[in-house]
Amino acid sequence: MTTVERDWGSYTIIADGARWTTKILRIKKDKSISLQRHFWRTEHWLFLEGRGLFWKGDMPKALEQKSGMAVWIVKNQLHWVKNISPHTQDLVILETWMGTKLDEEDIERITDETIIPIE
């Protein structure tokens, strides 16, 4: 297994198949992934540890997610998550991609995160 470090934390691909890939995301305290969308895949996230503030395009505002909660993110849907765990705890997410093109390049990052309704 290979772990890739990012400014927000890291991810490790733990398994994959022809039309799916599963990763463990570790997001550092007070860090977030970019507001983004994917054109070729759907994602399923299972929150394993910590607390996250999560938003996707059809939600009126960002909601807290914690261990045991899950979300689906469909193709072309804007989404974002931030670690709001106490102390220095990582937010750990089991992320599964499903689709016909499973590629790290299948991402559009949106630089204006002010569109995320937090409150």
Side-chain angles (χ1 to χ4, degrees):
M1 289 187 283
T2 302
T3 298
V4 176
E5 299 292 330
R6 296 285 193 230
D7 290 342
W8 49 262
S10 66
Y11 69 84
T12 305
I13 298 174
I14 60 171
D16 62 357
R19 303 188 95 167
W20 61 273
T21 297
T22 299
K23 302 166 134 185
I24 297 286
L25 304 180
R26 291 187 172 277
I27 301 171
K28 297 175 189 174
K29 172 72 175 147
D30 295 325
K31 295 286 187 175
S32 62
I33 63 166
S34 61
L35 176 61
Q36 58 190 255
R37 75 173 122 217
H38 311 288
F39 300 105
W40 299 98
R41 67 177 182 254
T42 294
E43 295 183 345
H44 181 261
W45 291 6
L46 176 60
F47 290 79
L48 299 176
E49 295 176 14
R51 293 176 28 221
L53 192 58
F54 173 79
W55 179 80
K56 63 181 181 177
D58 63 350
M59 296 172 62
K61 67 179 183 175
L63 297 175
E64 183 177 334
Q65 301 289 315
K66 49 191 166 184
S67 180
M69 299 176 103
V71 296
W72 282 99
I73 303 160
V74 297
K75 292 177 196 174
N76 296 310
Q77 190 169 48
L78 289 175
H79 58 284
W80 169 89
V81 68
K82 179 178 183 175
N83 182 348
I84 59 168
S85 302
H87 313 294
T88 59
Q89 182 179 14
D90 285 350
L91 174 62
V92 181
I93 299 170
L94 180 71
E95 175 186 75
T96 299
W97 300 356
M98 290 153 283
T100 56
K101 182 178 179 184
L102 304 174
D103 188 321
E104 286 293 337
E105 302 303 312
D106 178 24
I107 188 167
E108 178 186 14
R109 289 186 175 85
I110 312 300
T111 56
D112 184 9
E113 293 185 4
T114 62
I115 68 169
I116 301 168
I118 301 295
E119 297 179 24

